[in-house]
Every structure is written in C-alpha cells, then in structure tokens.
Amino acid sequence: MSERKKLLEIKNLKQYFNEGKPNEVKAVDNVSFDIYKGEVMGLVGESGCGKSTTGRTIIRLYDATGGEVLYDGVNVHGNKSKKELKQFNRKMQMIFQDPYASLNPRLKIADVIAEGIDIHGLAKSKQERMEKVYELLETVGLNKEHANRYPHEFSGGQRQRIGIARALAVQPEFIIADEPISALDVSIQAQVVNLMKKLQHEKGLTYLFIAHDLSMVKYISDRIGVMYFGKIVELAPADELYRNPLHPYTQSLLSAIPAPDPISERTRKRKTYDPATHNYQDNEPVEFREVTPGHFVLCSETEFKQYQAQSKQ
C-alpha cells in the first residue's frame, strides 16, 4: 500500500455561500484530504455538515471559493477549455442522492443511460449505442427490456441502479456517490452497496462515498473522514476509526448507531457532543494533526498529547 497513487488531492478547499455578507455560510471550510486510486473514501456527518457540498465542489457543480482540487495533479478549478472540461467530466462522474429527481421523466431509460455516450461520441452507430446500453443495464442487474421504459415505471432501487449505469456509461475512473442509498428502503440499501462494491473491484473504480449511515459507510469504505460544520474533524482507516474514535464528535456519532440486541440497546449510554468542551485558546491553534500513522484529528496541541496518550493505552 506504500506505493499507492494519489488520484485526488483536496487542499484547503473552501465553499462559502453569501461570502462577505452577514448571512455568510461556510459550508466547506479549509478542508484537506487525499483519495488514492482504487480506494473507497467515506465521508460522514450529520445533515448540513457540508459533506454533499464538498462532493459537488470537487466535481465542479459549484465553483470553489478557495483552495485546490487536484485530479491526477491537474487543478480541477483552474481555467479550462471546453475540451479539457469534457475530458474531465468523462473521468469523474456522480451518483445523486434522489433516484427520483435525478432521472429525466420524459426520456426513455436507453436515452438516460446513453446521454454520456452521445456527448463523448463513444458509439459509432445506433446499434453500438444500444449494445452499450444493454450491457450497462445487465451490469447493474437489470435487463435490456428495461431500455424502452420510462423512469416512473421503476422502483427506487431500480432507479438508483439506472443512475449507476448512467455514471458508468462514460467509463469513469472516479465516482462521487452522494448519499446514494439514503432515499431507499433498508432492504434495498444493501443490494445497491453490494453492487457498488462489485463494480469497484471489477472495473478498478475509485469512490468518494458520502453518507450519514456510519454502519454502511464502514462496510464499504477503506478510510473515513468525519465532517462537522464544514470541517473534517477526524480521518482514519475505517476499522481504526470504529475501534479507536478520538474526536468527541466522532464518539457521539458512533454511540448513536443502534445495537442489534434490544436489551443492551435499552441500557446503552449515548454520548452527546458539546463544542464548548474544546475551549480552544488563542495560543493553541487548532490543526489537523496525525496522532498515529494514518489517523488524523482536528485538535489543539494539548488535545493532541491527550489523544496520543489515549492511543497508547
């Protein structure tokens, strides 16, 4: 793993809305992390913490207020020609949260999936275009008869599969999955996540998997970043984060995951996070520090020493 290639580098990324005004919102505030080729990076946090805005800024649905997004060493938010933007859009795709709103209800499924194929000229004939559509439908667990139907004829889980097929149509390297299972029934969520894991291994994909369901994120992710009010407060390998959560906010999120045993669930104590407990001083700047190899926490120097001592126990 020491030879892993950085596919994406996010450096001091900022996304402010109503910048400079009294109602300014720092949705993404000085966020930095890397994503390595072939891995699944999970990004979790409660609603409104900025995780979806981070994903949308990375893929240029929003122009960044500040910072850099480097894809293969090239700044995504620099001035780009139409040709360069087109090439970038083929490499990076997005699966959206709402499978109902993300599909054009007026288009047949074949045209929904083939939109990227048409834009990038990936089919030389109508026959090749349809063959690619049929192949993509089968890849996501549907069949070619579905190609002539409309989105309203499908269930939520099927629509999300169609959304995945659409993202795969241009053969991307990197996919941002923005809460791809939150609008689905629990019984369907595991099917969609298993499909994404299968496709990752078969096609060598890299994912940024955004969600608020920590148990599902642990299942699919190699590393997990925890966001709180626009900042990443902790980042670690998935198993390490669950085994040894250091930041109080991460601890509160993990304590909220329901246990499968109803008896222990009734007696289990949950932790609540109070930001005031940090009480950062002016002479103790808050930085993103590496407590143990690969385990980073947003903390002051005093907290850093406490976390190091805690990790050695």
Side-chain angles (χ1 to χ4, degrees):
M1 295 292 283
S2 59
E3 298 299 319
R4 293 186 306 171
K5 176 189 174 185
K6 285 183 184 178
L7 186 65
L8 203 71
E9 297 176 69
I10 291 89
K11 297 181 176 181
N12 305 314
L13 186 65
K14 297 177 182 177
Q15 181 56 257
Y16 296 174
F17 297 108
N18 302 317
E19 187 181 9
K21 298 179 180 178
N23 60 341
E24 179 182 76
V25 176
K26 296 182 178 181
V28 181
D29 190 16
N30 209 30
V31 163
S32 299
F33 61 92
D34 301 324
I35 299 178
Y36 295 90
K37 188 172 179 62
E39 82 165 340
V40 180
M41 171 76 180
L43 195 59
V44 300
E46 60 193 301
S47 296
C49 71
K51 56 190 186 297
S52 291
T53 304
T54 299
R56 288 168 178 258
T57 305
I58 288 171
I59 204 170
R60 278 192 68 141
L61 290 178
Y62 299 138
D63 289 326
T65 304
E68 291 183 309
V69 177
L70 303 180
Y71 187 90
D72 260 343
V74 178
N75 188 6
V76 168
H77 287 270
N79 292 326
K80 296 279 188 295
S81 66
K82 287 185 178 181
K83 183 179 179 181
E84 287 174 324
L85 282 173
K86 194 173 177 181
Q87 290 173 341
F88 164 72
N89 289 336
R90 184 178 172 185
K91 291 178 180 178
M92 190 185 297
Q93 288 287 301
M94 193 162 194
I95 300 168
F96 294 93
Q97 176 178 358
D98 189 347
Y100 297 90
S102 63
L103 304 181
N104 189 331
R106 293 186 176 89
L107 294 181
K108 289 184 178 180
I109 296 307
D111 296 322
V112 169
I113 293 173
E115 189 173 9
I117 295 172
D118 297 339
I119 291 170
H120 295 279
L122 302 180
K124 297 176 182 177
S125 64
K126 288 184 178 180
Q127 181 181 349
E128 185 181 353
R129 178 183 188 264
M130 287 308 299
E131 286 174 356
K132 286 180 179 289
V133 169
Y134 293 153
E135 182 182 344
L136 286 161
L137 283 169
E138 290 178 4
T139 297
V140 299
L142 300 173
N143 57 61
K144 63 181 184 180
E145 285 74 25
H146 291 134
N148 290 318
R149 297 183 186 176
Y150 289 91
H152 73 268
E153 299 179 64
F154 295 88
S155 67
Q158 288 174 320
R159 290 187 205 194
Q160 199 57 289
R161 288 172 184 265
I162 292 164
I164 294 170
R166 178 177 59 185
L168 292 174
V170 295
Q171 300 166 354
E173 298 174 327
F174 177 64
I175 292 178
I176 298 174
D178 182 15
E179 303 229 30
I181 58 173
S182 64
L184 306 177
D185 291 340
V186 174
S187 58
I188 306 299
Q189 289 180 358
Q191 295 178 19
V192 173
V193 170
N194 285 332
L195 171 63
M196 291 182 66
K197 286 189 74 170
K198 176 173 173 283
L199 293 171
Q200 186 214 3
H201 292 302
E202 290 178 353
K203 299 182 180 293
L205 296 169
T206 304
Y207 290 140
L208 174 62
F209 191 90
I210 300 168
H212 58 263
D213 184 343
L214 274 157
S215 55
M216 194 61 78
V217 171
K218 181 177 185 287
Y219 175 65
I220 194 173
S221 301
D222 299 300
R223 292 184 302 137
I224 298 174
V226 179
M227 282 197 79
Y228 178 75
F229 268 79
K231 295 182 180 292
I232 293 186
V233 296
E234 189 161 3
L235 190 154
D239 290 339
E240 166 70 9
L241 189 79
Y242 276 70
R243 184 178 56 82
N244 184 31
L246 296 175
H247 196 280
Y249 178 67
T250 307
Q251 294 173 359
S252 71
L253 283 183
L254 290 173
S255 76
I257 298 175
D261 180 5
I263 297 174
S264 65
E265 181 65 14
R266 279 198 297 269
T267 58
R268 184 167 62 93
K269 290 185 178 179
R270 291 167 176 77
K271 294 185 178 181
T272 56
Y273 175 57
D274 180 5
T277 57
H278 280 108
N279 193 27
Y280 296 126
Q281 302 297 317
D282 292 338
N283 61 346
E284 282 198 298
V286 182
E287 296 178 8
F288 209 47
R289 307 169 195 258
E290 190 171 19
V291 178
T292 59
H295 195 156
F296 297 83
V297 185
L298 187 69
C299 58
S300 66
E301 181 66 27
T302 300
E303 289 173 324
F304 176 62
K305 292 176 180 177
Q306 292 172 351
Y307 293 151
Q308 280 189 315
Q310 180 180 328
S311 297
K312 290 176 182 177
Q313 292 176 359

